[in-house]
Amino acid sequence: MTDFLLELRSEEIPARMQTKAREDLARLFAGELARAGLAAAETVSYATPRRLALILRGLPEATEAVSEEVKGPKTSAPPQALEGFLRKTGLTREQLVERDGVFFAVSEKPGRATADVLADAIPAVIRAFPWPKSMRWGAASASTESLRWVRPLQGIVALFGETVVPASIAGVESGAATVGHRFHHPGAITIGSAADYVEKLRACHVIVDQAERESIIALGATMLTAKAGLTLVRDEGLLAENAGLTEYPIPLLGRFDAAYLDVPPEVIQLTARVNQKYFVCRDAEGKLANAFVCTANIDAADGGAKIVEGNRKVLAARLSDARFFYDTDLKVPLEEQAKKLDRIVFHEKLGTVADKVERVAKLARWLVESGVVSPLPAREGPGVGNETHHGSAKITPTPDHSLPGRGELADQAGRAARLAKADLVTGMVGEFPELQGLIGGYYAAAQREDAAVAEAIRDHYKPVGAGDDVPTAPVTVAVALADKLDSLQQFFAIGQAPTGSKDPFALRRSALGVIRLLTENGLRYRVPGELLDFFADRLKVQQREAGVRHDLIDAVFALGGEDDLVRLLSRVKALQSFVTTDDGANLLAGYKRAANILKKEGRVAPSTTDRHPGLEPGSRFLDAEDSGTPGQARGDETTAYAPEPAEAALVAALDIAEPAAAQAVAREDFEGAMAALATLRAPIDRFFDDVTVNDADPAKRAARLALLARVREAVHGVADFSRIEG
């Protein structure tokens, strides 16, 4: 077995492209080898700013000889089919093999030298490489047929064992020579094989392994800051970017003027990170320190003093700009800034940003005034307009506008919503769009807005992603919900719902944000009907990651009418706990047996499209004392015969379980509903063991089918068990 080394050397490869490029190089080569019947025992890929490398370990010297067989038409097929097959394969009738009444074209392919396969693969991979951005260069760039690469290609090292694999592309010939570090060892070096590639370059001040470069930067920066009594602010993305910018990284610690610490720390960190690729540090008290860590690409003779001084000057200029924007913006009240929002078009069909702000402000107020967002959630009850139960007493927790804080909260929500987008027209957001919202919060606090209002302005975009914090402050929650709900409702209304992979207005992210705001704050809000299916899909995706089964969500949604996500998830989680127990699994099996019998008899379940799930407590069957015969099945079918003991036992169990489950559902005690249904397990098992449903007596048969329908309906009061897998 032999190893193969490929190095593609070029001018600077952008750091953000390097990881994907390594993956693509390995993937494309694996594909080329697979077509020749080859596979490497191990694949390693590297990327530095100037080179992309691949090592394939354990390749054979040659491919195996293979016999390929193509199936043709039947021997009894019309002559035209045979003629077409002969044209396709380029064979004659006599060269075909006939087997079991079918023609086969069999061709024998001899093995190839692996070096030849690699020689063919190198230009094919280079030409097919999917750089997100690439260029042509030199005189050949006049032709659209010339090679495109991320930056001008300068050299190719291709060694199979110790032998150069011949390849030529865009005038660059493969060989065994490369170069070391641009400053420390710019001359040519000869690579012997894949085995000495990494170490020979290390000796020439090139750390080929990007993971090793990251470790050097992380460790060096941590030690430097610790020695200065500081703590490095870790940033994995910045660490990878610094590793992608250097072949021989040397972390260096520098200081900037402490006067810049008057600027919000996020501004300083963003300025250092985005513009200069510097890490920032915290002092012993956890505050941002006037220090930064930059990464040099050389081992300077003066220990990096001149490099640090140069970087300090550049950073000072950037921080000066940031402070200018900050001071200038602060002179204009956010209320005045907000008046400029009518100059920014939000969407051609939805008006300006000022129009959106007005809608969001009204919606935020409504969310508070209607009780969805409450200043005192523990005192106001769990719902909006829905009747609920507390113990045995039914209560109606519609919002109480007289509760302390309600009016103030509504005013704060409206105020925050009207100022939340004002920072979009500030100089700071113009320079750093990443600061929108955050910097508005700083401006609001500095201009003596209410603390709750400033917090809402700062956090109203949250949660932005899966790992982002979910706001809990009532004013912030109201504005964050209103902002996302307005976008969803407005874009759906103008027919701009996401399709396939297209979601230009990030509505899926908005829906996930709404789901998290509602469920993690326990807010009772009825999702508008036009958005319900969209939310259902997002909820299934989100809950799958949390370990909740999608079929159970379907089982609850299938009941119809459920538009309260908090109540839905409560029911789903109780259902998931129940179906994983023996009682749940057996009840599910009994339900499916009953449902199958009813389906064969054409007794489909009634439509539940417009029905609110299980909020009508009580049995629809007559009381036992009214039936004339204790234990007889009642409801759809009445009976005039003495039921068998197992039949009577099931009726009796249903008489108790059915209303108990329905009442438990009505008071949103879903664990209680499951417990009530669990009591049906044994009677159902006994019924199927002892009773013949399809009795010869039509009356018995009809009554027993009605009893099974009653079982199905009782279970459907909790969830549509037909949607549950297993």
Side-chain angles (χ1 to χ4, degrees), residues 357-668:
V357 164
E358 190 61 27
R359 292 193 303 267
V360 171
K362 290 179 181 175
L363 183 51
R365 283 195 68 95
W366 178 86
L367 288 169
V368 174
E369 291 169 346
S370 63
V372 175
V373 179
S374 169
L376 298 168
R379 293 175 54 184
E380 290 194 56
V384 181
N386 285 337
E387 289 185 337
T388 63
H389 290 71
H390 179 68
S392 59
K394 181 182 291 185
I395 60 174
T396 304
T398 48
D400 183 350
H401 296 279
S402 66
L403 280 174
R406 166 90 43 211
E408 181 185 359
L409 177 60
D411 290 342
Q412 289 173 328
R415 174 77 177 170
R418 285 192 163 82
L419 299 180
K421 307 293 184 187
D423 63 1
L424 294 178
V425 296
T426 63
M428 186 67 81
V429 171
E431 183 73 8
F432 299 112
E434 302 92 334
L435 289 176
Q436 57 186 284
L438 178 70
I439 200 67
Y442 274 107
Y443 292 156
Q447 292 171 359
R448 300 185 183 281
E449 290 288 342
D450 185 281
V453 171
E455 183 180 351
I457 294 171
R458 182 191 67 196
D459 293 339
H460 79 282
Y461 290 109
K462 291 188 173 184
V464 176
D468 199 13
D469 295 334
V470 175
T472 57
V475 180
T476 308
V477 171
V479 179
L481 260 181
D483 188 28
K484 295 169 180 59
L485 286 170
D486 174 73
S487 293
L488 287 159
Q489 290 176 319
Q490 295 297 323
F491 281 113
F492 268 70
I494 62 171
Q496 294 290 322
T499 55
S501 61
K502 296 180 180 177
D503 186 12
F505 306 109
L507 298 183
R508 292 189 177 99
R509 188 174 67 189
S510 293
L512 287 171
V514 170
I515 289 170
R516 291 190 65 195
L517 283 163
L518 293 176
T519 58
E520 295 185 27
N521 285 296
L523 304 181
R524 311 303 298 267
Y525 172 77
R526 292 177 172 171
V527 176
E530 69 273 17
L531 298 177
L532 199 54
D533 288 344
F534 185 67
F535 270 75
D537 290 340
R538 304 280 77 72
L539 185 68
K540 281 188 278 189
V541 172
Q542 186 216 35
Q543 290 297 310
R544 186 184 303 132
E545 296 172 358
V548 177
R549 289 168 45 178
H550 68 89
D551 59 322
L552 302 183
I553 296 177
D554 282 339
V556 176
F557 265 123
L559 293 173
E562 182 56 281
D563 53 10
D564 183 326
L565 301 183
V566 171
R567 183 172 58 204
L568 180 142
L569 281 181
S570 177
R571 186 189 297 234
V572 167
K573 289 175 180 174
L575 186 59
Q576 180 148 327
S577 297
F578 178 60
V579 297
T580 54
T581 64
D582 288 343
D583 282 345
N586 286 346
L587 180 66
L588 178 61
Y591 162 86
K592 292 201 169 182
R593 188 171 177 183
N596 286 336
I597 292 172
L598 292 169
K599 185 178 179 181
K600 288 179 181 176
E601 295 297 326
R603 297 175 67 120
V604 297
S607 171
T608 57
T609 304
D610 300 322
R611 178 167 63 88
H612 196 282
L615 293 182
E616 298 175 3
S619 170
R620 60 188 172 79
F621 295 95
L622 298 174
D623 292 332
E625 61 185 8
D626 298 329
S627 64
T629 306
Q632 288 181 347
R634 296 148 298 183
D636 294 339
E637 311 288 346
T638 57
T639 63
Y641 68 91
E644 295 182 23
E647 190 176 2
L650 180 55
V651 171
L654 275 169
D655 283 344
I656 297 172
E658 190 177 29
Q663 289 167 4
V665 167
R667 62 175 182 270
E668 301 186 12

Side-chain angles (χ1 to χ4, degrees), residues 697-721:
D697 181 343
K700 290 183 179 180
R701 180 169 172 274
R704 289 165 184 170
L705 287 172
L707 185 57
L708 293 181
R710 193 179 163 193
V711 169
R712 181 177 61 186
E713 288 305 298
V715 172
H716 277 197
V718 177
D720 185 346
F721 272 44

